[in-house]
């Protein structure tokens, strides 16, 4: 596990919520304060777009807040909200898929912005652009595997696919990425 | 030459991107009190208004959400209008019986649909030995009534079948194939050269003849749609000829007369279809004068819809020779300005859930196709219900609400709703229209189930599952 992964997978004890003393708003806010940074970073990597990433994360926590009463075990709240962020990214990508992943167009986002050009080296920028040209499922598999360092079982659970599909999707994603990077060079 | 392993390059790049989000830059969480979903974003917008520049930035920020809102608003408005019309005119059983979704009612046996000629006798599915990611695919002709395999077509020369399109006579299909790219290769399957094979069936469903067509899509071009004309004499394809290079948004629609090779071409900047080899992004009317296409406009914002190309124009500008029949998402409906202060976006409260929280109504997924008589554009719509974490913490569990919308091609409004159902627990959010009869009164489509979805006949508000079909991907579900 790298530092980034730890940020979005480790749920600190929250006595107030677990003890039922705090309301949903307090519990969700506490969870947000502990994990928003890691989740926004995850969404930024997935979407390449900071504002959209913030919206996805806000939406995920809002969904958690709305469904707090339905959670069978609030200790799973982080797993829930992380899945929501991944689903939110998937939905956002789906909305943009025709314009972005399919056509290979360079989307507006941190990889393209003048600000990020200063923050990211050319190598990273090229790799990120290449990742964003992948179909969303392949991109998702790569981010979960190599950014969050999740294992195949965890990725399968997050993506709701079989472990075999994770393996094949990741493999094809790397192959496609290699081709794109080769074309770019 | 970069000597790092590609996996390490991905790790380094993604973490560098993540690090652009500074710890002190995280915005505070905004939890609205009991307000509908969209009001919240209006509130967020207001908190930042006061600057035109910021407004423009937020216009871009909210693009996907605006698109979602637009879809929702359009869907709600049109559904409400459609249902009102249906009630007023007698409409269909599905639309007029109840606006509330209910459980799926099982329809008559598939064999009765086949026997009456309501659905085609045969379809072609794309199958493979084992995992299709690791094995090339071939085409299997199957009986709609029984699911039995009637015949198999395996492409020669290490090729794989990517998609299938069908004529209206239930005997003519065209296979789209390309050299198989193994998972160990660095090549991209999507950019391999396409070739086409015409498959003619005998009345008993066996393959009578195979004919390689004298046309192809060359290496490097991305084919995003193809559809055989109802009489089987013309093939429409959508390609992006310069996908990776100078003009990634350029799309060409070509209609090729198979006997002569004569080609009509239309061009525009934008995208057709939801992915490579999408065999439902283009659809024909029976008179072969109109070609419907699923379109996403190029440029800022999101504008998607179904357009109808007038084939009598003979070629030229795709958009100038077409009209938009249905708008599925249009950021311009809301623009880069905040919603009006008194704007109320309605929500549908499913009858089947005890949750007090409103949910978004179903929105169309994937492709929309035109009915052969040209009267309607049909699509499958879905929304998730009651998502919760599974007791063991491994993922989410959820229900779904689905509808099969039929938009009037003339007015763009929903004229009929088939298959308005709720599901207590579903796997993938699968919904898709695969085939329509002439008027859209009988569909073959994908509805959700506990796994990847199931394929069946939809008529009225009834669903009859087919045998031996898979719905993990539309192309593999079958082509009728």
């Amino acid at each position: 596990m790298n530092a980034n992964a730890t940020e979005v997978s480790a749920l600190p004890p929250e006595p107030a919520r677990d003890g039922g003393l705090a309301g949903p708003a307090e519990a969700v806010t506490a969870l947000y304060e502990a994990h928003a940074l890691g989740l926004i970073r995850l969404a930024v990597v997935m979407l390449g777009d900071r504002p959209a990433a913030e919206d996805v994360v806000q939406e995920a926590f809002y969904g958690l807040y709305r469904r707090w009463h339905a959670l069978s075990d609030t200790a799973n709240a982080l797993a829930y909200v992380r899945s929501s962020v991944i689903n939110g990214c998937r939905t956002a990508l789906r909305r943009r898929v025709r314009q972005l992943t399919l056509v290979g167009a360079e989307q507006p986002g941190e990889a393209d912005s003048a600000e990020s050009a200063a923050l990211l080296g050319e190598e990273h920028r090229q790799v990120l652009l290449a990742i964003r040209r992948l179909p969303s499922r392949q991109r998702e598999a790569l981010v979960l595997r190599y950014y969050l360092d999740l294992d195949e079982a965890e990725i399968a659970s997050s993506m709701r696919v079989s472990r075999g599909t994770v393996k094949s999707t990741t493999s094809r994603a790397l192959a496609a990425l290699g081709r794109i990077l080769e074309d770019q060079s | 030459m970069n000597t790092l392993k590609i996996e390490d390059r991905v790790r380094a790049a993604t973490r560098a991107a993540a690090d652009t989000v500074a710890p002190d830059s995280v915005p505070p969480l905004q939890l609205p009190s009991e307000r509908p979903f969209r009001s919240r974003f209006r509130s967020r917008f207001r908190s930042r208004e006061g600057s035109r520049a910021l407004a423009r930035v937020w216009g871009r920020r909210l693009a996907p959400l605006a698109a979602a809102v637009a879809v929702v608003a359009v869907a709600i408005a049109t559904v409400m209008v459609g249902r009102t019309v249906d009630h007023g005119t007698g409409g269909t059983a599905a639309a007029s019986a109840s606006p509330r979704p209910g459980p799926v009612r099982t329809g008559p046996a598939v064999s009765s649909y086949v026997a009456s000629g309501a659905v085609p006798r045969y379809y072609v599915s794309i199958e493979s030995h084992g995992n299709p990611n690791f094995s090339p695919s071939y085409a299997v002709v199957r009986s709609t009534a029984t699911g039995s395999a009637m015949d198999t077509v395996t492409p020669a020369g290490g090729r794989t079948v990517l998609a299938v399109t069908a004529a209206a006579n239930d005997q003519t299909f065209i296979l789209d194939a390309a050299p198989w790219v193994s998972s160990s290769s660095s090549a991209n399957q999507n950019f391999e050269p396409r070739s086409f094979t015409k498959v003619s069936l005998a009345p008993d469903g066996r393959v009578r003849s195979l004919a390689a067509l004298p046309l192809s899509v060359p290496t490097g071009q991305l084919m995003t749609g193809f559809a055989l004309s109802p009489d089987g004499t013309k093939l429409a394809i959508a390609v992006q000829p310069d996908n990776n290079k100078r003009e990634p948004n350029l799309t060409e629609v070509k209609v090729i007369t198979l006997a002569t090779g004569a080609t009509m071409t239309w061009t525009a900047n934008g995208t057709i279809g939801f992915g490579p080899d999408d065999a439902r992004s283009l659809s024909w009317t029976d008179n072969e004068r109109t070609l419907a296409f699923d379109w996403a406009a190029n440029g800022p914002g999101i504008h998607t819809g179904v357009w109808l190309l007038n084939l009598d124009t003979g070629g030229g500008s795709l958009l100038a020779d077409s009209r938009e029949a249905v708008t599925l998402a249009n950021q311009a409906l809301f623009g880069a300005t905040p919603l009006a202060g008194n704007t109320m976006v309605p929500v549908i409260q499913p009858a089947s859930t005890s949750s007090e929280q409103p949910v978004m109504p179903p929105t169309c997924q994937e492709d929309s196709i035109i009915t052969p008589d040209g009267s309607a554009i049909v699509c499958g719509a879905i929304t998730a219900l009651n998502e919760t974490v599974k007791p063991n913490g491994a993922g989410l569990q959820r229900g779904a609400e689905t509808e099969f919308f039929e938009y009037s091609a003339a007015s763009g409004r929903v004229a009929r709703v088939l298959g308005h159902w709720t599901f207590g627990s579903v796997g993938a959010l699968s919904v898709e229209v695969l085939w329509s009869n002439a008027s859209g009164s009988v569909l073959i489509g994908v509805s959700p189930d506990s796994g990847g979805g199931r394929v069946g006949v939809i008529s009225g508000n009834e669903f009859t599952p087919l045998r031996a079909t898979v719905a993990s991907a539309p192309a593999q579900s079958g082509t009728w």
Side-chain angles (χ1 to χ4, degrees):
Chain A
M1 283 285 180
N2 63 64
N4 294 311
T6 302
E7 286 169 4
V8 296
S9 60
L11 179 63
E14 295 184 66
R17 191 191 70 236
D18 292 340
L21 301 177
E26 290 77 10
V28 172
T29 300
L31 195 69
Y32 179 86
E33 290 172 351
H35 300 288
L37 174 61
L39 290 167
I40 290 173
R41 285 177 165 177
L42 170 64
V44 162
V45 173
M46 296 278 281
L47 296 172
D49 182 341
R50 169 72 183 270
E54 289 181 8
D55 282 334
V56 164
V57 173
Q58 288 269 345
E59 174 62 16
F61 277 91
Y62 180 59
L64 176 67
Y65 170 67
R66 288 197 310 170
R67 295 175 175 86
W68 188 260
H69 67 283
L71 290 179
S72 57
D73 181 356
T74 54
N76 289 327
L78 182 61
Y80 172 86
V81 80
R82 188 172 66 184
S83 286
S84 295
V85 168
I86 293 169
N87 286 338
C89 291
R90 192 180 298 160
T91 300
L93 290 169
R94 187 184 179 87
R95 299 286 183 205
R96 300 187 301 185
V97 68
R98 299 191 203 189
Q99 296 177 308
L100 306 176
T101 56
L102 175 60
V103 301
E106 296 180 2
Q107 64 211 67
E110 106 285 343
D112 289 345
S113 70
E115 178 188 35
S116 69
L119 293 172
L120 295 174
E122 182 62 17
E123 153 67 10
H124 294 337
R125 188 170 175 277
Q126 290 299 319
V127 174
L128 290 168
L129 286 175
I131 291 173
R132 282 166 199 139
R133 287 182 174 178
L134 296 174
S136 57
R137 286 280 178 179
Q138 293 185 5
R139 176 197 317 210
E140 202 172 297
L142 285 189
V143 170
L144 295 176
R145 177 70 187 88
Y146 297 111
Y147 170 63
L148 286 187
D149 273 349
L150 300 186
D151 62 28
E152 283 177 3
E154 291 171 309
I155 298 170
S157 174
S158 294
M159 294 178 67
R160 302 182 194 190
V161 297
S162 69
R163 292 178 66 168
T165 300
V166 170
K167 188 176 293 185
S168 60
T169 303
T170 306
S171 172
R172 294 185 74 82
L174 287 173
L177 195 64
R179 161 73 179 268
I180 295 170
L181 288 169
E182 189 176 313
D183 287 349
Q184 286 176 347
S185 62
Chain B
M1 182 73 180
N2 194 310
T3 57
L4 284 175
K5 283 175 60 180
I6 195 163
E7 294 92 330
D8 293 329
R9 295 174 71 185
V10 173
R11 280 195 184 91
T14 54
R15 289 169 191 175
D19 287 344
T20 62
V21 181
D24 59 358
S25 68
V26 174
L29 178 64
Q30 296 187 24
L31 288 178
S33 52
E34 303 299 323
R35 285 183 298 172
F37 164 75
R38 279 160 287 277
S39 308
R40 180 169 53 93
F41 289 99
R42 188 173 70 232
S43 173
R44 288 188 67 197
F45 194 107
R46 281 179 172 167
S47 70
R48 302 192 184 207
E49 67 186 349
S51 154
R52 289 188 176 186
L54 272 180
R56 284 194 296 273
V57 168
W58 271 92
R60 287 200 303 273
R61 284 180 174 210
L62 293 175
L65 293 167
V69 169
V71 169
V72 168
V74 168
I76 292 170
T78 51
V79 167
M80 293 177 73
V81 168
R83 285 178 179 147
T84 301
V85 170
D86 286 336
H87 280 294
T89 60
T92 67
S96 60
S98 170
R100 300 292 190 193
V104 177
R105 294 206 317 259
T106 302
V110 178
S111 56
S112 68
Y113 284 110
V114 174
S116 66
V119 299
R121 290 168 298 167
Y122 306 113
Y123 67 95
V124 174
S125 63
I126 300 173
E127 303 178 18
S128 61
H129 298 293
N131 188 327
N133 290 312
F134 295 111
S135 307
S137 298
Y138 51 89
V140 180
V141 181
R142 290 188 178 275
S143 159
T144 304
T146 66
S148 303
M150 313 304 293
D151 218 332
T152 298
V153 180
T154 303
R159 301 175 74 78
T160 185
V161 178
L162 297 169
V164 184
T165 182
N169 66 0
D170 202 15
Q171 292 183 320
T172 308
F173 297 81
I174 288 184
L175 309 183
D176 155 30
W180 165 246
V181 175
S182 72
S183 58
S184 60
S185 168
S186 62
N188 187 328
Q189 184 76 67
N190 298 337
F191 297 101
E192 292 299 304
R194 279 2 183 219
S195 60
F196 305 95
T197 301
K198 183 177 179 179
V199 180
S200 299
L201 302 185
D204 66 357
R206 302 294 301 268
V207 174
R208 185 172 58 194
S209 65
L210 296 174
L213 299 179
L215 57 101
S216 64
V217 174
T219 303
Q221 295 196 7
L222 185 65
M223 191 172 85
T224 63
F226 87 133
L228 185 60
S229 63
D231 69 1
T233 63
K234 303 182 200 67
L235 184 67
I237 63 173
V239 294
Q240 294 184 325
D242 202 14
N243 179 271
N244 264 342
K245 306 296 180 185
R246 294 157 300 177
E247 295 185 275
N249 297 310
L250 177 64
T251 284
E252 294 178 347
V253 172
K254 296 174 183 286
V255 174
I256 304 152
T257 300
L258 298 179
T260 64
T263 302
M264 299 184 289
T265 303
W266 290 263
T267 60
N269 277 318
T271 306
I272 287 176
F274 275 83
D277 305 282
D278 184 345
R280 273 169 280 277
S281 61
L282 302 174
S283 52
W284 293 77
T285 55
D286 259 345
N287 64 12
E288 302 190 358
R289 298 180 65 184
T290 301
L291 185 72
F293 58 97
D294 290 280
W295 181 248
N298 189 30
I302 292 179
H303 187 157
T304 62
V306 182
W307 290 61
L308 305 181
L309 170 62
N310 177 3
L311 296 171
D312 292 340
T313 57
S317 166
L318 180 63
L319 300 186
D321 292 345
S322 307
R323 71 175 177 88
E324 186 173 25
V326 176
T327 299
L328 296 175
N330 184 0
Q331 186 183 6
L333 288 177
F334 292 86
T337 56
L339 298 170
N342 60 354
T343 300
M344 292 298 294
V345 181
V347 295
I348 289 177
Q349 178 68 50
S352 61
T353 173
S354 60
S355 167
E356 294 180 357
Q357 300 299 335
V359 298
M360 295 206 305
T363 54
C364 280
Q365 309 288 309
E366 305 280 327
D367 295 311
S368 305
I369 62 173
I370 193 165
T371 55
D373 69 3
S375 66
I377 289 155
V378 298
C379 61
I382 193 166
T383 192
L385 299 176
N386 301 330
E387 282 191 322
T388 58
V389 179
K390 288 180 179 175
N392 62 3
L396 300 177
Q397 55 191 13
R398 59 189 170 186
E401 178 183 351
T402 68
E403 294 180 303
F404 288 86
F405 289 136
E406 301 199 356
Y407 294 89
S408 162
S411 69
R413 294 177 178 174
V414 172
R416 178 160 52 185
V417 179
L418 297 183
H420 191 191
W421 302 314
T422 55
F423 300 86
S425 178
V426 298
L429 295 176
S430 304
V431 64
E432 183 86 3
V433 174
L434 304 173
W435 175 88
S436 169
N437 72 349
S439 66
S441 61
V442 179
L443 307 176
I444 296 176
V446 179
S447 86
D449 66 359
S450 59
R454 56 182 177 171
V455 181
V457 179
I458 300 147
S459 178
N461 199 32
E462 296 175 338
F463 182 88
T464 302
L466 300 186
R467 298 174 183 169
T469 54
V470 293
S472 57
Q476 295 168 326
S477 304
T479 298
W480 281 262

